Amino acid sequence: MTEQTTNILIVGVGGQGVILASELLSEAAMQAGFDVKKSEVHGMSQRGGVVSSHVRFGKKVYSPLIPAGTADVVLAFEAAEGLRWAGQVSEDGLLVVNNQRIIPTIAHTKDYDYPEDPIGEARKIVKRTLALDGLDIANRVGSPKLVNTVLLGAISGELPIPGEIWEAVIRRRVPRGTEEMNLQAFKEGADANKAEIEKQSSLKV
Amino acid sequence: MVKIKKLPEIKEPTRTLLSGNEAIALGAREMGVYFASAYPGTPSTEILETFARLPGVKAQWSTNEKVAFETGIGAALAGARTMVCMKHVGVNVAMDPLMTFAYTGTVAGFLLVSADDPEMHSSQNEQDNRNLARFAKIPMFEPSDSREAHDFTKIALEVSERFATPVMLRITTRISHAKGIVELEPWPTPEVTGFKHDIERFVMVPQFARKRHHEVELRLKRLMRYSEESSLNRVEPGKGPVGIVTGGIAYQHVREVLPDAPLFKIGISNPLPVEAIRAFAATVERLIVVEELDPFYEEQMHAAGIPCEGKRYFPIEGELNPDIVAEGLREAGALNGQAPEIHPVGVEVLPRPPVLCPGCAHRSVFTALKKMKAEVFGDIGCYTLGALQPLSALHTCICMGASVGMASGVQQVEGSKRPVVAIIGDSTFLHGGITGLLDAVYNKAPVTIIILDNRATAMTGGQQHPGTGYTLQGEETFAVDYIKLSKALGVKHAFPTDPYDYGETLKTLKRAVSIPEPTVVVTTRPCVLYPVKLEPEPYRVLLDICNGCGACIRIGCPAVILIEETTDKGLHKVTIDPDTCTGCRLCLQVCPVDAIEPVGEIEEADKSEAEC
Ligand SMILES: Cc1ncc(C[n+]2csc(CCOP(=O)(O)OP(=O)(O)O)c2C)c(N)n1
């Protein structure tokens, strides 16, 4: 994995913290010694639009955009967004979806419906789909604002970035006084993911 | 004072992850740029927001791009290194001073940053401003990532001083808002040498301007030699018979797909180094040009007699990405193999168009205009979202300030039987609406101009402007009074209205359009996001009273949500999201059956009952 570029696509709805999460991930990848590029479109994000952030790291990264269908991990902060971006996950890649639904105003019109079972649909597209109650975990640790750290924790097991580096970056980048809570949230995210993986593989047996 | 958090001084070489915009701000600081001005506009805005936070510099939001540019000229002629930033369409506004500043030339380094927006992620068009640098006959630099954005900023400022010319750094959204690793250097202390007059050089009357035009042409020849020899225009040797010519972000996409092809990378794209490209062409069998938007390199190469292919395989519209580049190269026969198979995307997921925020003060104005069946000439800002469903109450949007002139024009030809209004944000009015209003008064156009004064440039992130009372660097300053300003321009009827009072707003608007003279209406509620996000102050729906009529849904508030529960007639009832409702009360005011009440009141009522 280290010779090749690792592609992580983080998606969600404006205001959910997608951009902060991709900031932390890029910073951690740089500290781990990789070349890094990250790209997203600002602008409409405050107003309920879709937000997607591409993070790429490896020995040398050229384009800031992940080629179609080559994301090693898609991390979706919102259920329907997980479905929207599922097609971008690579053959043996992973889709992590936060079990939260944000229903846009447009779903109140006759023309559009929010998908009934977005995560179930996503599973049909991506074999390795993990659903996570990020908000529950965050609330349990202490604040709904911790969702993005929980979700980063959930994908950390997939990435060639050592734990010490994650810890250092989280300590440096989160608001002062929330360091311990954030580290706890990160750990709970990682554990939740591990538990999901075990559950899924035991289902297969 | 508004507290602006300063960034730490760079005292030793530092490696860090920066966006293109941040990299430009820091590159400018490293070159001793002392003054920077801009008008906000995506994707350029963060350049000045970053620069303003660096110790030891002056930075300002100007009223519009033309003024930003002219202020920059003044600073540069006074011997301060200067940067002026804007989005692509901003350069249209600054075009007048730009074209003639190219004649006088500069004293201290002068960098114009043009941030283009291929794909129109947040813009009204996708013009390719590389054409404008060529039109103005000034040198242009095209970085392809953050590192180059930083490095080219410095080189461009050097070139500006060496050739005494304004220079353009042309970036695009994927440079501005992408991050990459940048090497920073320690800062010098900026210098200002002071203005010295030179009438023949700085007074562009015909007899002097003719001489300066001659100088511009000579300068272009010297710049051409520089461009031909510069290492920013370089050959990357490689394998295979097909050579690529590319620059800007397209370079990165090409390298992603063809890491080993021989390639000519363009860093200075005006003047284009045609002889260096010709020499490269001689080393390959075929030449393919990959560039975003217009065939800017390609046409000049054709004109120079260099055989090449480009837009035959690549789109002119929209932005490029590695997939589009791969597809074009495959079609050209320059890339073997099949397109990688991607997982089928299961279902079309519903779109999420941007919407006005819960509590946005613009909403009630559109609700009223819809009721009045007005013809609404719109402008650019958050309020342009009033065009979308379910409001659908804004009917034009061309460029900043256009609403006022367009509404006047319709009235001058008696072109509508409906009430005709122009609707314009505060920042946009100050940017380009004042002259239109003066024109309406002068030419007696009976239009109503609605100024949506939310005391912020909201669309681009809440920047200060001459109506907010604060400067970019956080100092207190004069805040314009729109009513007094209108009166001074000769408007006899100018009314304030509280947009949270729907009845009053409707009444005021009806009154304004009934007067057969220019009238002005100014709304008086601040933005819900800036300078601080309003805390929720939720209302709730009494479900036993809600009759499912949908009046509250038709105001298009994201906090008002349809639910499964229906009335006897099968109409869906609604609920209000307590986490996002800010308590503007518009839904309550349009509800015909009084089914909406503040959450607080109900709780208090419950409590007092319990106490009894
Ligand atoms: C010439 C030009 N400069 C800048 C922009 C970017 N831009 C779009 S809307 C806007 C300002 C909107 O502010 P305001 O008029 O106060 O409306 P609000 O968004 O606050 O409702 C800006 C700066 C543009 N489209 N055109």
Side-chain angles (χ1 to χ4, degrees):
Chain A
M1 201 179 217
T2 39
E3 270 302 304
Q4 274 179 340
T5 302
T6 301
N7 295 322
I8 314 291
L9 185 63
I10 308 185
V11 300
V13 177
Q16 281 196 295
V18 166
I19 292 181
L20 181 63
S22 72
E23 288 279 319
L24 293 181
L25 171 58
S26 325
E27 182 80 32
M30 185 181 89
Q31 298 298 341
F34 295 106
D35 186 25
V36 184
K37 283 202 175 141
K38 160 184 126 95
S39 177
E40 69 248 339
V41 171
H42 308 190
M44 300 298 183
S45 60
Q46 280 277 14
R47 287 158 199 82
V50 177
V51 183
S52 64
S53 181
H54 299 230
V55 179
R56 313 190 68 204
F57 56 92
K59 204 163 158 218
K60 166 85 190 147
V61 181
Y62 289 107
S63 176
L65 298 176
I66 299 172
T70 67
D72 298 290
V73 178
V74 170
L75 170 58
F77 277 45
E78 198 273 351
E81 293 310 310
L83 177 56
R84 186 194 311 280
W85 299 95
Q88 301 303 327
V89 179
S90 69
E91 189 87 55
D92 43 4
L94 173 73
L95 173 65
V96 175
V97 190
N98 182 28
N99 221 337
Q100 186 185 351
R101 293 175 174 223
I102 298 178
I103 299 177
T105 324
I106 200 162
H108 303 156
T109 62
K110 279 187 228 71
D111 309 340
Y112 296 101
D113 281 316
Y114 190 90
E116 218 153 274
D117 177 18
I119 296 177
E121 294 280 327
R123 257 188 237 288
K124 289 184 201 153
I125 301 166
V126 183
K127 254 187 301 178
R128 295 179 61 215
T129 294
L130 296 177
L132 215 66
D133 266 319
L135 200 59
D136 275 5
I137 299 174
N139 279 326
R140 187 151 28 83
V141 178
S143 157
K145 288 189 181 148
L146 298 168
V147 171
N148 44 21
T149 329
V150 172
L151 294 175
L152 272 182
I155 66 167
S156 61
E158 293 286 312
L159 309 176
I161 298 173
E164 324 70 271
I165 288 183
W166 275 117
E167 180 170 342
V169 168
I170 289 172
R171 280 194 189 282
R172 195 144 53 83
R173 291 296 298 261
V174 302
R176 203 167 292 161
T178 68
E179 294 89 345
E180 298 309 322
M181 263 206 306
N182 271 285
L183 288 172
Q184 184 60 23
F186 187 83
K187 186 172 167 299
E188 300 248 347
D191 292 348
N193 191 346
K194 266 186 233 140
E196 265 287 325
I197 291 172
E198 274 157 27
K199 197 168 87 194
Q200 298 232 331
S201 49
S202 68
L203 283 181
K204 267 180 224 142
V205 186
Chain B
M1 280 292 276
V2 176
K3 199 126 186 73
I4 305 288
K5 217 170 123 199
K6 287 283 179 201
L7 293 169
E9 184 172 344
I10 305 290
K11 294 194 171 128
E12 54 194 65
T14 308
R15 231 174 140 251
T16 178
L17 199 60
L18 294 180
S19 71
N21 283 351
E22 293 164 335
I24 291 167
L26 282 143
R29 183 66 187 83
E30 274 171 41
M31 270 306 281
V33 168
Y34 178 56
F35 181 79
S37 52
Y39 180 74
T42 316
S44 72
T45 313
E46 300 82 3
I47 305 172
L48 225 67
E49 287 180 332
T50 306
F51 188 78
R53 293 172 56 200
L54 304 177
V57 299
K58 287 232 161 110
Q60 67 177 43
W61 291 131
S62 290
T63 330
N64 65 31
E65 292 86 353
K66 180 173 183 289
V67 179
F69 196 95
E70 290 156 347
T71 318
I73 296 178
L77 293 192
R81 287 189 180 159
T82 296
M83 172 170 70
V84 177
C85 313
M86 53 200 66
K87 71 183 285 164
H88 58 334
V89 287
V91 184
N92 303 339
V93 179
M95 209 60 205
D96 204 4
L98 168 60
M99 293 305 289
T100 305
F101 185 40
Y103 278 29
T104 67
T106 190
V107 173
F110 182 102
L111 181 69
L112 164 64
V113 184
S114 166
D116 295 12
D117 189 18
E119 197 72 31
M120 296 170 272
H121 296 288
S122 21
S123 300
Q124 66 265 40
N125 77 23
E126 57 179 347
Q127 65 186 52
D128 184 337
N129 277 9
R130 294 179 302 168
N131 297 301
L132 297 188
R134 188 157 183 242
F135 184 42
K137 306 191 177 197
I138 59 171
M140 166 170 53
F141 294 75
E142 272 192 85
S144 71
D145 61 11
S146 294
R147 184 190 305 266
E148 287 186 353
H150 170 269
D151 299 352
F152 287 15
T153 293
K154 295 174 71 175
I155 299 168
L157 279 156
E158 240 168 61
V159 166
S160 171
E161 259 173 41
R162 177 160 154 206
F163 294 88
T165 174
V167 295
M168 183 196 277
L169 185 78
R170 189 267 190 172
I171 52 176
T172 52
T173 302
R174 299 293 180 181
I175 307 292
S176 283
H177 289 171
K179 285 201 169 184
I181 296 173
V182 178
E183 320 270 346
L184 299 176
E185 300 282 334
W187 300 342
T189 307
E191 283 167 30
V192 184
T193 52
F195 182 75
K196 293 188 197 67
H197 28 143
D198 182 345
I199 290 178
E200 297 202 7
R201 193 168 156 210
F202 298 142
V203 182
M204 288 299 92
V205 290
Q207 70 265 39
F208 300 147
R210 283 183 201 114
K211 285 192 196 141
R212 292 305 303 176
H213 183 190
H214 186 61
E215 180 53 36
V216 169
E217 299 303 326
L218 292 178
R219 187 174 73 204
L220 260 185
K221 291 207 175 81
R222 293 201 303 274
L223 281 163
M224 177 60 99
R225 277 200 297 280
Y226 176 86
S227 175
E228 293 282 4
E229 286 161 16
S230 167
S231 61
L232 269 50
N233 293 321
R234 64 163 192 260
V235 174
E236 293 181 0
K239 294 192 277 273
V242 180
I244 308 285
V245 174
T246 186
I249 192 67
Y251 164 80
Q252 304 293 351
H253 302 323
V254 169
R255 273 299 180 226
E256 188 71 37
V257 181
L258 283 180
D260 302 319
L263 181 149
F264 191 98
K265 180 181 183 300
I266 293 169
I268 302 178
S269 49
N270 195 52
L272 194 70
V274 276
E275 293 315 317
I277 296 173
R278 196 189 310 279
F280 172 70
T283 67
V284 293
E285 277 170 34
R286 255 178 97 194
L287 204 56
I288 294 181
V289 185
V290 186
E291 58 189 318
E292 208 165 58
L293 297 177
D294 292 346
F296 180 79
Y297 311 144
E298 187 185 352
E299 282 179 354
Q300 292 184 67
M301 287 163 62
H302 281 308
I306 303 170
C308 62
E309 302 158 280
K311 290 298 169 186
R312 254 181 86 182
Y313 306 116
F314 303 96
I316 288 179
E317 296 156 46
E319 68 177 358
L320 298 179
N321 61 34
D323 305 302
I324 294 171
V325 168
E327 197 184 304
L329 289 170
R330 231 175 261 123
E331 202 186 314
L335 178 67
N336 298 326
Q338 288 288 306
E341 261 189 53
I342 67 165
H343 291 173
V345 176
V347 284
E348 276 279 305
V349 178
L350 79 176
R352 291 184 193 271
V355 286
L356 293 174
C357 301
C360 176
H362 302 341
R363 184 173 282 110
S364 70
V365 179
F366 286 116
T367 309
L369 291 171
K370 199 170 173 184
K371 186 159 179 96
M372 290 160 62
K373 298 200 164 47
E375 211 66 86
V376 180
F377 292 83
D379 228 294
I380 307 195
C382 286
Y383 50 95
T384 315
L385 299 173
L388 305 182
Q389 282 185 350
L391 289 166
S392 311
L394 177 141
H395 308 126
T396 68
C397 165
I398 304 263
C399 71
M400 293 191 72
S403 61
V404 184
M406 288 172 68
S408 302
V410 169
Q411 290 297 66
Q412 295 298 30
V413 301
E414 288 155 39
S416 175
K417 297 214 161 45
R418 298 175 167 213
V420 169
V421 306
I423 192 159
I424 185 165
D426 47 353
S427 184
T428 304
F429 176 71
L430 298 170
H431 174 287
I434 301 174
T435 45
L437 177 56
L438 182 60
D439 184 272
V441 172
Y442 172 54
N443 289 305
K444 304 183 184 183
V447 288
T448 295
I449 289 134
I450 305 165
I451 302 172
L452 299 170
D453 177 16
N454 60 0
R455 265 152 274 163
T457 316
M459 186 87 221
T460 45
Q463 291 75 23
Q464 308 290 357
H465 64 62
T468 65
Y470 292 95
T471 68
L472 166 60
Q473 290 186 310
E475 278 175 47
E476 230 165 289
T477 183
F478 177 76
V480 73
D481 178 328
Y482 300 94
I483 300 276
K484 280 192 192 151
L485 173 63
S486 303
K487 295 238 158 113
L489 293 175
V491 175
K492 280 188 257 150
H493 317 275
F495 315 106
T497 187
D498 176 1
Y500 282 180
D501 185 336
Y502 176 63
E504 178 196 318
T505 298
L506 183 61
K507 207 171 88 195
T508 310
L509 287 171
K510 279 186 173 164
R511 177 161 165 224
V513 299
S514 73
I515 302 171
E517 286 178 52
T519 53
V520 167
V521 175
V522 183
T523 63
T524 57
R525 288 278 175 172
C527 176
V528 295
L529 286 181
Y530 308 108
V532 278
K533 195 168 175 201
L534 282 194
E535 287 296 319
E537 194 190 314
Y539 278 61
R540 74 174 170 202
V541 180
L542 305 172
L543 287 179
D544 46 337
I545 302 183
C546 174
N547 67 355
C549 72
C552 58
I553 287 292
R554 285 190 293 276
I555 64 174
C557 175
V560 182
I561 302 164
L562 282 181
I563 56 174
E564 287 301 315
E565 189 177 332
T566 55
T567 62
D568 302 342
K569 293 188 190 139
L571 298 169
H572 283 278
K573 297 187 178 183
V574 301
T575 184
I576 294 175
D577 176 12
D579 295 332
T580 54
C581 173
T582 64
C584 77
R585 302 163 58 100
L586 178 61
C587 56
L588 176 153
Q589 294 172 75
V590 298
C591 177
V593 292
D594 291 337
I596 299 173
E597 282 197 9
V599 170
E601 226 167 77
I602 296 167
E603 271 167 4
E604 261 157 46
D606 287 351
K607 215 169 39 189
S608 53
E609 253 168 52
E611 273 163 22
C612 292

